[in-house]
Amino acid sequence: RERVDTALFLMREVAGEAKFTQQAVDRERGVILGERRSRDSFQLRQMIDQLEFQIPETPYPNRLPIGTEEVLKTASAETIRDLYRRYYRPENATLVFVGDVDPVDIETKIRAKFSDWKGVGTAGPELPRGKVDLKRASSVDTFTDPAVATTVTMTSMRPWEDPSDTITERRRLVIEALGNSMFSKRLSKLVNKPGSVLLGANAGTGGWEDAALASTINVVTKDGAWKQGIRIAEQELRRALTYGFTEAELKRQMAESVTAYRTAAEQAGTRTNSAL
């Protein structure tokens, strides 16, 4: 109980009582700049290049959590405090508590600790998420770095959706996952063929919040074999779209999925707080 009280006290302080003195801000600059330098890898540069190509009219390529070097070096305590007061507010906050505790007891503690939290000043407006040109013609981008394996990513985008969590939506997601898994298995068979130019391949779906949903095929090939890799993946996709999957493929994938769900259910009691 002491630890819960301490945790809620600290979270309440962070939520609404941070002071942001200039001395404290200056003290942290070097730490954050050091983190930024340590993460400035080819993977990060490749990811930024991909975002700038795929969704250039959204904030995502220019709003990475680590921030820009210019802002990290020059932002004042007053600037940070103003941002904090505009957006770190109770109406924008969600507190999640996970653990083996009495929910009524925890709710009482949370209400006691957070009920006096009020926003300071005027709330900031909702930030724009930009847009994605879904009528954009097919286009190509390349990123080169000696450390990057020869990789081809093919992406098709469609309008953003955020449907309610219903049984119908869960069923649609399961079917979508089955399709991605079956297609990825077909690609894996091609990877494992003797003499294959493919080193790895997979398919999946995802997206960028409030911008677009995306279906993606990734293919890793031997050096110089990217054209063959594209051809192989495109032909396999065309085959799946034209002829679908076999009953045997579906049964095998459903069996694997059911086994995974059953195992997760049987081991539910061993989950850690972080996993929850």
Side-chain angles (χ1 to χ4, degrees):
R1 295 180 69 84
E2 271 185 35
R3 289 177 179 176
V4 169
D5 290 341
T6 301
L8 291 176
F9 163 76
L10 292 172
M11 293 187 80
R12 175 63 181 85
E13 289 291 298
V14 169
E17 308 305 321
K19 299 300 182 187
F20 295 108
T21 65
Q22 191 62 51
Q23 182 181 15
V25 170
D26 291 338
R27 190 168 57 242
E28 289 299 314
R29 288 192 205 278
V31 176
I32 307 302
L33 285 166
E35 288 182 5
R36 193 175 189 277
R37 282 192 295 270
S38 68
R39 298 175 188 178
D40 188 15
S41 61
F42 74 86
Q43 293 103 325
L44 177 64
R45 293 191 293 275
Q46 184 180 26
M47 182 188 73
I48 294 173
D49 180 87
Q50 185 169 327
L51 291 172
E52 288 175 340
F53 171 68
Q54 291 185 337
I55 48 174
E57 297 181 67
T58 73
Y60 291 102
N62 305 308
R63 290 288 185 273
L64 299 182
I66 195 66
T68 66
E69 190 168 352
E70 179 186 1
V71 169
L72 293 175
K73 287 181 175 179
T74 61
S76 67
E78 184 180 1
T79 298
I80 299 173
R81 190 183 307 113
D82 179 57
L83 176 72
Y84 174 75
R85 288 176 174 173
R86 282 184 289 131
Y87 290 102
Y88 285 71
R89 305 170 64 88
E91 62 266 35
N92 292 338
T94 301
L95 194 155
V96 179
F97 190 101
V98 178
D100 185 13
V101 294
D102 179 0
V104 175
D105 184 33
I106 291 300
E107 182 176 344
T108 301
K109 286 178 175 292
I110 291 172
R111 288 185 180 279
K113 187 61 67 177
F114 284 85
S115 60
D116 65 343
W117 181 21
K118 302 290 189 297
V120 176
T122 304
E126 186 173 339
L127 299 174
R129 299 301 181 105
K131 61 180 181 179
V132 174
D133 182 6
L134 298 174
K135 296 182 180 179
R136 175 180 171 185
S138 297
S139 50
V140 177
D141 175 61
T142 58
F143 176 84
T144 304
D145 189 286
V148 178
T150 301
T151 306
V152 178
T153 298
M154 293 169 278
T155 301
S156 175
M157 287 185 274
R158 56 193 186 281
W160 169 256
E161 295 177 358
D162 187 18
S164 299
D165 184 14
T166 62
I167 295 295
T168 300
E169 175 61 12
R170 294 278 182 119
R171 183 177 188 275
R172 187 193 67 78
L173 290 173
V174 168
I175 293 172
E176 183 179 84
L178 289 170
N180 282 326
S181 297
M182 287 189 291
F183 185 65
S184 293
K185 277 189 170 58
R186 286 190 178 183
L187 294 175
S188 295
K189 286 183 178 179
L190 297 175
V191 171
N192 295 324
K193 286 181 63 175
S196 175
V197 300
L198 301 181
L199 301 179
N202 63 73
T205 52
W208 302 274
E209 187 172 352
D210 289 342
L213 296 174
S215 297
T216 301
I217 299 174
N218 293 300
V219 177
V220 183
T221 73
K222 295 178 180 178
D223 285 347
W226 60 270
K227 285 185 180 180
Q228 297 99 303
I230 290 177
R231 191 177 304 119
I232 291 169
E234 191 275 337
Q235 288 175 350
E236 201 59 41
L237 176 62
R238 191 183 297 275
R239 184 177 293 113
L241 291 173
T242 303
Y243 302 108
F245 299 97
T246 67
E247 191 70 23
E249 285 178 298
L250 179 59
K251 285 183 177 179
R252 184 163 56 249
Q253 190 57 53
M254 288 176 67
E256 289 184 14
S257 299
V258 169
T259 298
Y261 282 127
R262 183 175 289 119
T263 301
E266 291 171 352
Q267 298 176 357
T270 66
R271 289 173 296 175
T272 62
N273 285 354
S274 59
L276 285 167

